[in-house]
Amino acid sequence: MKNKVLILTTTEPGNPFPENFSCWCAGALEAKGCDTALETISLEQFVPSSSNEPLEIIPEKLTALQDTLSMIEKLVLILPEQNNMIPVGLDNFIALVAGMKDKYKLCKLIAIVMDPVPNKAGEDRLLFRYPLRKLDLLFGSTFSADRIQIKNSPTGNMCPLFSESYGELCQLVQQILA
């Protein structure tokens, strides 16, 4: 089966919403007859004590991701965002998918907007230091400006999103399918 859409998303401890939303998107696309693959990158390592080094892609994951990228027609990145920044460490993954952007019929960014969290001792949080404008250099000058922003739900509950934005979510699915 040829995958037509790849949704690339992230997970982090204590916040299931980005993955829940990504699974919903993949399911909605599949329900419309669109072959969809979902790849998830774990962000557990990106906490304040970590370095700013890019996350290394293990060889098996790299091969599988390259195979998937060679089969898709559309790419949807669903990434957490805070103050126009995404988590550091995703450089290698972003460079890998951007390297094949010319073969995609669609590249779309959906940003899960995270509320700033006050500093609490001993609490692990992501480091949001990768400017969204850097994505414009890789994917085109209006890539970040054209992003769709979805408000995060730290509990993972998607019901408020559906009740407030169902029409917009349907339009999002139609944009990806078009």
Side-chain angles (χ1 to χ4, degrees):
M1 166 168 60
K2 181 176 179 176
N3 291 315
K4 298 192 189 270
V5 177
L6 171 63
I7 297 176
L8 186 63
T9 193
T10 61
T11 62
E12 64 173 298
N15 186 9
F17 186 79
E19 189 173 17
N20 289 353
F21 181 75
S22 299
C23 289
W24 175 82
C25 282
L29 292 169
E30 286 281 338
K32 293 287 188 179
C34 182
D35 296 335
T36 306
L38 177 62
E39 289 286 334
T40 305
I41 302 166
S42 174
L43 297 178
E44 293 177 57
Q45 313 169 14
F46 305 135
V47 293
S49 62
S50 71
S51 70
N52 289 336
E53 292 298 312
L55 180 65
E56 291 298 318
I57 306 172
I58 58 173
E60 298 81 22
K61 181 82 170 176
L62 176 62
T63 301
L65 187 55
Q66 286 173 324
D67 290 346
T68 301
L69 288 169
S70 70
M71 295 185 284
I72 65 167
E73 297 174 354
K74 299 175 183 181
L75 174 68
V76 178
L77 298 174
I78 300 178
L79 302 173
E81 170 193 340
Q82 189 177 82
N83 298 324
N84 294 313
M85 304 279 216
I86 60 175
V88 296
L90 294 175
D91 309 49
N92 289 339
F93 286 95
I94 290 170
L96 179 64
V97 297
M100 301 176 83
K101 74 177 185 320
D102 293 335
K103 78 176 239 26
Y104 309 138
K105 293 179 183 175
L106 171 81
C107 280
K108 191 82 176 156
L109 173 61
I110 301 172
I112 305 296
V113 180
M114 314 293 277
D115 290 330
V117 179
N119 286 334
K120 293 183 182 171
E123 189 173 296
D124 291 344
R125 272 184 261 104
L126 297 178
L127 292 175
F128 289 89
R129 291 190 194 151
Y130 189 97
L132 279 172
R133 64 178 162 25
K134 281 189 176 181
L135 296 178
D136 294 341
L137 299 173
L138 297 169
F139 290 98
S141 62
T142 62
F143 186 70
S144 65
D146 293 340
R147 73 189 181 279
I148 294 173
Q149 293 181 304
I150 305 285
K151 179 115 174 79
N152 183 48
S153 170
T155 64
N157 183 0
M158 294 196 38
C159 293
L161 177 64
F162 289 131
S163 66
E164 296 169 8
S165 308
Y166 185 75
E168 290 87 352
L169 293 172
C170 291
Q171 288 176 348
L172 170 63
V173 170
Q174 290 304 317
Q175 286 176 11
I176 295 169
L177 290 171

